[in-house]
Amino acid sequence: RQQQMMQGARSLLLIPAAARQQQGKSRRRALRALAMHTLVEAVRLLESKEISSETLVVQCYERAIEGEQELKLNAYTHICSHDRILTQARASDQRRQAGASKSSLDGVPVSIKANIAVRDLPLTAASRILHASGRDNVANINISPYDSYVTRRLLRDAGAILIGLTNMDEFGMGSWGTNSPIHGSIRNPRSDIGRNFILSAGGCM
């Protein structure tokens, strides 16, 4: 009987911890789901203030890091710093609170292909020619001194927030994302091994 009482007491002690653990799992699932929204859904959630740009952007950033470090997707050639995107997201939230959003895309996270110029970021087109000394030697990467027209309109004028630059075939010469000599072939997390490269834009979405 004493043993039964002890087991019952232990069970009671475990309930709050289990509940907290379940709540934590539910929260992580909810946050992860944010990174799976379409552009239209993200805009709606931001404009209705159901979520903040900071919440959305940080979750997308964490998913990008997870994809590169844990899943080895090779989806990105460059991921912007956490501090950079956090500063931009908070500025976007302040504009929205003040009713001064730049556009419907203000605060929405985006990624851009590595052959499109973004000021002060690597412009490599996934090529050895523009990336002379390997992936991590930033000093020898071609850094763009200017924005392309599309990035100026999207990032500066409209207020979208750049998560990173995505991998591609070298100089765009290919269609399956398999010809990226520096960063490696892109993997599609939704496909089985051997069936990775099924998208014209490469395996990353």
Side-chain angles (χ1 to χ4, degrees):
R1 180 176 175 80
Q2 185 177 6
Q3 186 178 6
Q4 289 176 344
M5 290 176 64
M6 290 295 294
Q7 289 176 343
R10 281 196 294 268
S11 298
L12 289 173
L13 290 172
L14 288 174
I15 289 173
R20 287 195 299 271
Q21 185 177 19
Q22 186 60 43
Q23 288 174 353
K25 289 180 179 178
S26 298
R27 181 176 181 275
R28 285 193 295 273
R29 283 196 296 268
L31 288 174
R32 178 167 291 197
L34 290 176
M36 302 301 291
H37 282 302
T38 66
L39 176 61
V40 173
E41 290 170 340
V43 169
R44 180 186 63 78
L45 289 169
L46 288 171
E47 290 184 341
S48 65
K49 299 181 182 178
E50 293 180 49
I51 60 170
S52 66
S53 176
E54 180 178 343
T55 298
L56 180 61
V57 166
V58 168
Q59 183 58 24
C60 288
Y61 169 84
E62 290 176 353
R63 290 284 283 168
I65 293 294
E66 178 186 12
E68 294 305 288
Q69 295 181 355
E70 297 182 23
L71 302 180
K72 309 297 182 185
L73 299 182
N74 295 330
Y76 285 88
T77 63
H78 175 84
I79 296 178
C80 297
S81 72
H82 183 272
D83 288 344
R84 173 190 175 112
I85 67 165
L86 192 59
T87 297
Q88 293 176 355
R90 287 173 176 170
S92 174
D93 286 333
Q94 290 174 357
R95 289 192 296 271
R96 182 165 286 105
Q97 288 295 331
S101 294
K102 293 183 175 182
S103 74
S104 60
L105 294 177
D106 199 344
V108 174
V110 299
S111 293
I112 294 175
K113 280 292 181 184
N115 62 342
I116 300 177
V118 181
R119 187 177 67 242
D120 297 329
L121 292 184
L123 178 58
T124 65
S127 172
R128 289 187 186 277
I129 297 172
L130 300 177
H131 197 311
S133 298
R135 184 168 188 165
D136 297 320
N137 194 340
V138 178
N140 290 305
I141 298 175
N142 181 49
I143 301 297
S144 176
Y146 57 84
D147 282 323
S148 66
Y149 176 76
V150 67
T151 56
R152 178 174 60 80
R153 291 292 305 275
L154 180 63
L155 304 180
R156 318 305 174 195
D157 297 346
I161 299 174
L162 184 67
I163 298 296
L165 307 174
T166 56
N167 201 1
M168 57 183 291
D169 291 297
E170 186 174 17
F171 288 118
M173 294 188 292
S175 60
W176 296 90
T178 59
N179 301 308
S180 180
I182 294 295
H183 306 284
S185 297
I186 301 164
R187 293 186 60 244
N188 187 341
R190 297 180 182 275
S191 293
D192 297 329
I193 295 174
R195 298 174 57 244
N196 282 328
F197 313 109
I198 58 174
L199 305 170
S200 63
C204 61
M205 290 291 282

